[in-house]
Amino acid sequence: MRIKIAHNTTYIYDHPVSGALQQVRLQPVDGPLQQVRNWDIDVEHGSVAASYRDHHGNRVSLICADEGATGLTITARGEVDTEDKAGVLGPVYGRAPLWYFQQSTALTKAGPLIKAIADGVPNQGSELEKMHLLSAAVLGAVPYTLNETHTETKAEEAAGQGSGVCQDHANIFISAARLLGFPARYVSGYLVMDDRIDQDASHAWAEAHITGLGWVGFDVSNQISPDERYVRLAIGRDAHDAAPISGLRIGHGEESLIVSLQVQQ
């Protein structure tokens, strides 16, 4: 499938800023599941200070707002060809070893609720079957619900609320998978939806490392492994590591955020 994406993020500051720096992971990379045909990142009222590959292999740009700016707009757009391999990325490894993806983080630290989810997965069948059962268990314990969690919500907190979105589902799955002995990681990206082009936010899912297969994706929110409708942006041990945009600013006043996203075949 050829997928066309236009992702616009605008920050509006009610006072001119002395400085603002955004760390941007909005550039997909070629791999077994996708080939990037073309991709651009445009910046208004700012500039790209540096670009590099991080230790996860993600393409990262550091974008600085102009001094005294009252806004900053970052637009990522392009086309990506994708392939359905039932979510199997395969034995694709970078600088980070597998044991690194078994380490807990502040967002994915397991408490009694996530331990209960992991303990409830039957100790039978193949590794792949176990991870599909875990995916179903996470969604059963934490149904998809909008506007009840936020970007800083920890996996155990979302499990306690019994509600969450794709970010929470991925973090909980990762936390429980690690308890079961699997290296697991977070993936940010985009998803073509059947009923709409305009979307409110990018998507997220998890990957677990399966013996004999390598990395395999699990979209807990939709209860499938990623197919040709998915575009990968970035990976990490949790949502913070793979966040499409994160940053800071210097100056007084408040900021508001406007996001527009179109994803279509």
Side-chain angles (χ1 to χ4, degrees):
M1 179 182 290
R2 181 164 300 167
I3 298 175
K4 182 179 181 180
I5 298 160
H7 188 175
N8 182 281
T9 304
T10 297
Y11 295 89
I12 300 174
Y13 312 116
D14 62 4
H15 287 81
V17 295
S18 300
L21 178 66
Q22 299 294 336
Q23 189 177 55
V24 174
R25 302 177 188 86
L26 285 172
Q27 188 166 349
V29 299
D30 293 340
L33 303 179
Q34 65 188 33
Q35 295 293 314
V36 181
R37 290 183 57 82
N38 58 78
W39 197 267
D40 294 300
I41 296 178
D42 297 323
V43 181
E44 295 181 29
H45 310 300
S47 60
V48 177
S51 296
Y52 59 93
R53 286 279 193 116
D54 67 14
H55 57 293
H56 296 118
N58 304 319
R59 292 187 182 275
V60 184
S61 296
L62 297 180
I63 295 178
C64 295
D66 296 334
E67 185 174 356
T70 55
L72 174 66
T73 298
I74 302 167
T75 302
R77 62 168 65 89
E79 295 180 342
V80 182
D81 289 338
T82 60
E83 185 176 351
D84 183 4
K85 292 188 176 181
V88 180
L89 180 69
V92 177
Y93 308 112
R95 298 174 183 173
L98 287 178
W99 58 258
Y100 171 81
F101 293 105
Q102 289 181 293
Q103 293 181 334
S104 179
T105 66
L107 277 185
T108 60
K109 184 178 180 180
L113 296 175
I114 292 179
K115 290 178 181 177
I117 293 172
D119 289 343
V121 176
N123 188 24
Q124 59 189 30
S126 67
E127 292 185 358
L128 184 61
E129 289 169 336
K130 284 183 182 179
M131 291 297 95
H132 280 296
L133 289 172
L134 174 59
S135 176
V138 171
L139 186 61
V142 185
Y144 187 91
T145 311
L146 291 170
N147 303 320
E148 294 193 6
T149 56
H150 50 81
T151 57
E152 299 301 319
T153 299
K154 295 179 173 61
E156 183 73 8
E157 292 172 344
Q161 290 183 202
S163 60
V165 293
C166 57
Q167 171 180 302
D168 306 298
H169 289 155
N171 280 332
I172 294 169
F173 178 97
I174 290 164
S175 179
R178 289 172 181 160
L179 289 177
L180 294 171
F182 291 83
R185 64 191 186 186
Y186 188 100
V187 186
S188 62
Y190 301 109
L191 169 62
V192 174
M193 296 185 179
D194 296 334
D195 61 343
R196 73 196 72 173
I197 293 175
D198 293 298
Q199 301 181 21
D200 295 326
S202 57
H203 195 48
W205 56 97
E207 287 180 341
H209 191 270
I210 307 295
T211 303
L213 287 176
W215 291 106
V216 180
F218 298 88
D219 182 352
V220 175
S221 302
N222 291 302
Q223 283 299 288
I224 63 171
S225 286
D227 55 24
E228 73 277 6
R229 298 172 298 159
Y230 289 70
V231 172
R232 296 161 52 86
L233 270 181
I235 62 169
R237 287 190 298 176
D238 58 25
H240 283 170
D241 283 348
I245 299 181
S246 59
L248 54 85
R249 63 184 172 87
I250 302 171
H252 300 290
E254 301 295 327
E255 72 177 24
S256 55
L257 175 65
I258 300 173
V259 176
S260 65
L261 171 62
Q262 294 83 40
V263 183
Q264 59 188 305
Q265 183 177 357

